[in-house]
Amino acid sequence: MQGSVDYRGRTKYDATTARAYKDRPRRQQAAEMALINRVFKLVPSSHKVLDLPCGAGRVSLHLAEQGYQVTAADYSDSMLEITRAFLQESGHPGEVDKQDIEALSYSNGQFDTIICFRLFHHFPNPKIRRKAVSELCRVSARYVALSYFSPFSVTSMKRRLRVGLGGRASEKYATPLAEVESYFQSQGFALVRDFARIPLLHTLHVALFERTR
């Protein structure tokens, strides 16, 4: 079943955009992988991990190099092609699947841990956010690590100010942690810890949730 709405974050990664996304600035790459390291200190290296969306495969490779058994998945055919080549070239070939986060084909509890990095802020409304979280929780046996953009940051305040002054509205949607947490609570998951890239300054956070029932 295909997702309900073709929002821009779902459809924009054609071949050209996917190649551009692959080449992240080194400083940003280092900061984001450091953030993921802080989260995964709480996740056993024996875990089977689903990286969804895998993008260009940078998180998949980073975790594979730490000993995790990683499956990469994405909706974009271009991203999947880049990830397969990247993992092969890096000496960590693994399973790479096409998946729709709103209708995953995986079985219940198929993975020990799921990381969903740099996708949630593309979701334009609560209906899609709730559906995506329900699917992530369904296929996770224990943990879900989800990145989101906090509205309580300098970056988010600048975006709101720009719109207030008549500028173009951002296609990146900030979501309070309380809202994110409510979606997980309804699926039987509790917040373990929330990690900020730079508290109050940078908008990127990763929240780790654990199954409680």
Side-chain angles (χ1 to χ4, degrees):
M1 185 177 88
Q2 191 175 18
S4 54
V5 177
D6 277 343
Y7 44 90
R8 176 163 162 73
R10 176 184 176 85
T11 59
K12 74 176 183 176
Y13 290 107
D14 56 17
T16 301
T17 311
R19 283 194 298 270
Y21 182 84
K22 176 180 180 295
D23 299 321
R24 310 294 280 182
R26 285 188 178 182
R27 186 174 179 180
Q28 180 180 2
Q29 168 75 359
E32 292 181 352
M33 294 306 104
L35 177 59
I36 288 172
N37 286 344
R38 290 165 60 198
V39 177
F40 272 76
K41 282 183 179 180
L42 302 178
V43 178
S45 60
S46 59
H47 272 204
K48 292 172 57 179
V49 176
L50 173 64
D51 175 21
L52 172 73
C54 61
R58 60 200 182 103
V59 174
S60 295
L61 177 61
H62 185 73
L63 294 178
E65 289 178 335
Q66 296 180 42
Y68 293 97
Q69 182 182 339
V70 182
T71 295
D74 207 291
Y75 185 73
S76 164
D77 291 325
S78 298
M79 286 297 198
L80 293 171
E81 183 179 345
I82 289 172
T83 295
R84 289 190 184 99
F86 181 54
L87 294 179
Q88 186 72 38
E89 292 167 3
S90 302
H92 288 276
E95 188 173 350
V96 181
D97 302 328
K98 180 162 185 175
Q99 292 287 334
D100 179 353
I101 194 170
E102 295 180 59
L104 298 175
S105 67
Y106 300 121
S107 60
N108 295 351
Q110 185 166 334
F111 299 93
D112 301 305
T113 297
I114 299 173
I115 179 164
C116 181
F117 191 66
R118 295 194 66 91
L119 175 65
F120 198 75
H121 61 274
H122 288 299
F123 296 152
N125 60 62
K127 181 179 179 180
I128 296 173
R129 294 172 197 147
R130 188 177 297 110
K131 178 60 177 173
V133 168
S134 70
E135 280 293 273
L136 294 174
C137 291
R138 181 182 65 79
V139 301
S140 170
R142 185 169 179 187
Y143 290 121
V144 176
L146 180 93
S147 78
Y148 68 98
F149 280 7
S150 170
F152 309 113
S153 67
V154 172
T155 304
S156 291
M157 286 189 289
K158 285 181 178 178
R159 286 176 181 151
R160 291 196 295 270
L161 179 61
R162 184 183 67 222
V163 174
L165 293 174
R168 181 175 61 85
S170 175
E171 293 178 333
K172 298 175 181 178
Y173 303 91
T175 314
L177 177 58
E179 180 184 336
V180 178
E181 194 171 0
S182 70
Y183 301 138
F184 280 90
Q185 287 176 339
S186 69
Q187 300 299 319
F189 279 69
L191 178 67
V192 176
R193 186 174 170 185
D194 182 60
F195 300 82
R197 177 175 164 184
I198 304 176
L200 300 179
L201 179 61
H202 200 280
T203 188
L204 180 65
H205 285 234
V206 178
L208 181 66
F209 295 88
E210 183 175 16
R211 181 179 292 279
T212 58
R213 68 171 189 264

